[in-house]
Amino acid sequence: MPLYLDTHEHIPGLTAEALAKAHAADVAVGGKRGVTYMRYWFDEATGKVFCLAEAPSAEAAIAVHREAHGLLADQIVEVTEGA
């Protein structure tokens, strides 16, 4: 299944706690669309977030974010894992 990395350039008021809740919501909703949100990285100071998901399509990954919490990514790209 393809891997996607999405980028949120600036989420106003980002906190680690709020992001953990948003990720949990992604995980809860993801099963409906065959999407597994795997990991995320963030910078509280800038509000920048990266999310890694396994999904049948970019559109499915976007739909999970939309339904789970409404925080849509500014960019999403298909990636291949390397060593």
Side-chain angles (χ1 to χ4, degrees), residues 2 13-14 21 24-25 31 35-36 40 43-45 48 55 58 66-68 70-71 74 77:
L14 178 72
K21 287 180 183 178
V35 176
T36 302
Y40 62 90
D43 178 0
E44 267 186 76
K48 193 164 191 170
R66 182 179 289 114
E67 183 178 340
L71 298 171
D74 295 297
V77 295

Side-chain angles (χ1 to χ4, degrees), residues 1 29-37 54-57 60 64:
M1 180 149 344
V29 171
K32 292 192 233 179
R33 299 187 185 272
V35 176
T36 302
Y37 271 90
E54 187 176 64
S57 67
V64 170

Side-chain angles (χ1 to χ4, degrees), residues 3-4 7 9 12 14-16 21 26 32 35-37 39 42-43 51 56 64 69-71 74 79:
L3 284 173
Y4 294 92
T7 305
E9 291 296 333
L14 178 72
T15 65
K21 287 180 183 178
D26 285 329
K32 292 192 233 179
V35 176
T36 302
Y37 271 90
R39 299 183 62 93
F42 65 100
D43 178 0
C51 304
V64 170
H69 45 67
L71 298 171
D74 295 297
V79 295

Side-chain angles (χ1 to χ4, degrees), residues 6-30:
D6 72 31
T7 305
H8 303 259
E9 291 296 333
H10 178 72
I11 297 176
L14 178 72
T15 65
E17 181 181 341
L19 187 55
K21 287 180 183 178
H23 178 73
D26 285 329
V27 171
V29 171

